[in-house]
Every structure is written in C-alpha cells, then in structure tokens.
Amino acid sequence: MNIADIATPEYIQVDDDERLGKVRSIFERENPKGVIVTNDETYAGVITERQLVQSHIEDDAKVSVMMRNAPKVGRTDDVRDVARMLVEGGTKVAPVFEGEDLWGIISEDAILEAVLDNLDVLTVEQIYTEEVVTLTEDDHVGKAINHLREHGVSRLPVVNESGNLTGMVTTHDIADFAVRTMERQQKGDRSGETDRMLDLPVYDLMNSPVETVTLDATVSDAVEQMFDNDYAGLVVTPDDDDRMVAGILTKTDILRALTYTEEEAMDVQVTNVELLDTLTRENIRTSITEVADKYQDMQVHHAHVRFHEHKERLRGTPLIQCQIRLRTNRGQVAGSGEGYGAETAFHVAIDKLERNVLELKGTRADEEYEGQLLRKLGEL
C-alpha cells in the first residue's frame, strides 16, 4: 500500500520570517498536526505543537529559529516506509513531494485511518509503552513542562495520593493555557504572570475523566477511541482495574508497530537520527543484538532507540541522552544513559540495558541464541 490516496494537498504554511506568536495562534485556533514552513514559497521545514511547548523561545522570534527538518515523502512511497520516517523523525506530519514540487502533506492520522481495518490483528498489550512518566495533582506546571521536554513525550497521566488515575496533562493543554496567559499579559495584566503560571498545580489544567483502554483491547478499537475523542494517546489500565496506570498507548506506538519486519537482521528504529555522529545504525543494531543473543528464552520483537540533545556542551560536543527500549516475549525492558556525543550516550545506555535484562525473570545466558522478530501486519 502506498500513500497516493492518503496524502492531502491541503495544509497550513507560514513563511520562515514570520513571528512565532502567529504560529502559536494558528495552533490555538485551528489545532493542526503541524505547520509547513516555507522560504519564498520553497519548503524549508515543519513546526509542531510539541516544539512550541518544549521551547523557551519568545513569540517575537522568527519561525526559522524553531523549524525542524521533516523527512520528504513521495506521493507513491510505501505506507510502512512513511510510518517509519514519521517515527524516526519525531514528527506527526511530513511534506509530500511530486517530483521536485511540494504537493501536500501526510499525517499520522491519515495513515492510521487507512490501515484501521488491519489493526485488529494486534492487541494493546503487544505494542503499548510500559514505562510511563506520571505527575501528582499537586505537581506544578513547570515540572510538567520539564517532564515533557526531558522525556520527549506529549502527555502525562496525573495520579492522586493513592496512586489512582485522576487526569491527564498534554502539550496541547499547556500550549492552550500559555496562549491565554500571554493574551492577558498583552492586555495589561500584572507582570510576573508567566512565573505564576509555572507554579500552578497541574490539577488546574488536567483533563478529567481520562480515556483509558485495557491491555486485551484490539489496537483497532483503541485507534477508533482516539479518533472519537480527538486524542493522540490513551492511558492503559489492567483489565481488572481502570484506576491504575499500567502504561500508555500513543499513535506513535501504533505507527511503530506498522514498521515491524521479518528481516533476519533485528528491526531497530532510531528517533532523532540527525544526532548520530560517529555512530551508525548498523553499530546500534549490532550492539543490541549482542545483548539479546546472550539470553535464551528472550526473543526480541522490536528495538527502539531515542536520542535527545541537551543544551549543555563540552568543547562543542552536546550532552546527549539515549533511551533504548526492547519489546520481547518476556515484556518490555529498557536502558538509558547520558554522555557527550551520541556514541558515548549509547554505550552508557546499552550497559544499563544489559543490567536490566539480567533482572528479567527467567532469562539466562546462552551465546547460541539468536533473536527472532515478531511478524506484524504482513498483509500491508
């Protein structure tokens, strides 16, 4: 299946010389998945709502300082290849080209709608994210923003003192609140409003009640639930208790599942590949395979590696955070680490990953074991 009939020529664009304040207003007013940035009518990049929330850039700055590159897609590219490009590019939209000309955009929603009927072969338990960052009702908005930025996520479940799920805070909630706050400031309200906003408890912003999905639900049902409520993710709860947080399922998790393969080489996805320096995708695959092959009875279905760049630098080399997550027949296992440069960060994370693998119940060393990949959505 290709995206010829999925992509759309309708999209919102702004010039790279425009003010960021205008882009914030666009997200507030029209709630697009992303905005295409052009330079003299030529494609230059994209801006997403998450970028705006996670930045400290003032509204008077130009769009060009925030836009990021997104993978260029051809109108007849395979849907699974496009899904991979969106996941690895960390974006919800990508420009679609016909030859050398910008034709339109493709969004994660458009892809999911197109493959919805195929998603009943998957259950939530097979693809959800088990490691989830939560907030308490008393945590302040500043902490929420820091968590969103640090973990590269777009939503944070909120729990009460008993650990029960009570709400959800998303990047959209914070962006919406920030726009309203800035509008009040422009009308002459008291100074220091921004600081007071950061000190507000997330209880004042969170959405409640929260849409949840159980582990045994089909992914197709979960996607329909997301579409019906205009959500990009759902809190996953145990089958017998909808108050407890077992994990989270996002549209990105589902796109990632579309890219599972049956190749002999382990299927590894890398988010923010532009941060790789001396490290290659093959280096990453080899290192993860070496870890997995040491343990019999642990079959790796899929590996996801995410890099995140901090502002701190050492002699020009940025501080990088690396997160590795494996989906295995014994559950999910992860490792993370930081270092100056992607290669250093990855090696710290891979060491942590192996220590965590050792803690998986029932795993033991076996150098002859070779991991096998999970077959998913073969009919696409």
Side-chain angles (χ1 to χ4, degrees), residues 310-327:
H310 294 292
K311 292 183 178 180
E312 182 180 339
R313 290 178 176 269
L314 178 64
R315 293 189 291 274
T317 302
L319 179 64
I320 301 291
Q321 179 190 55
C322 176
Q323 298 171 325
I324 307 172
R325 186 176 73 197
L326 305 184
R327 298 183 187 277

Side-chain angles (χ1 to χ4, degrees), residues 58-100:
E58 298 294 333
D59 278 359
D60 287 336
K62 294 182 179 180
V63 165
S64 57
V65 304
M66 174 156 298
M67 71 178 184
R68 61 184 298 175
N69 291 325
K72 295 182 179 180
V73 175
R75 282 198 66 191
T76 58
D77 284 355
D78 183 77
V79 66
R80 300 178 75 170
D81 292 336
V82 176
R84 175 184 290 275
M85 285 189 283
L86 290 179
V87 171
E88 295 194 339
T91 184
K92 297 180 182 296
V93 298
V96 178
F97 281 76
E98 194 164 47
E100 297 297 320

Side-chain angles (χ1 to χ4, degrees), residues 204-224:
D204 292 351
L205 271 71
M206 72 181 192
N207 293 300
S208 183
V210 183
E211 285 291 322
T212 63
V213 66
T214 57
L215 290 165
D216 62 352
T218 66
V219 174
S220 59
D221 286 343
V223 172
E224 288 183 333

Side-chain angles (χ1 to χ4, degrees), residues 148-159:
L148 292 169
R149 182 183 302 113
E150 179 181 353
H151 297 280
V153 296
S154 60
R155 60 202 58 252
L156 298 166
V158 181
V159 297

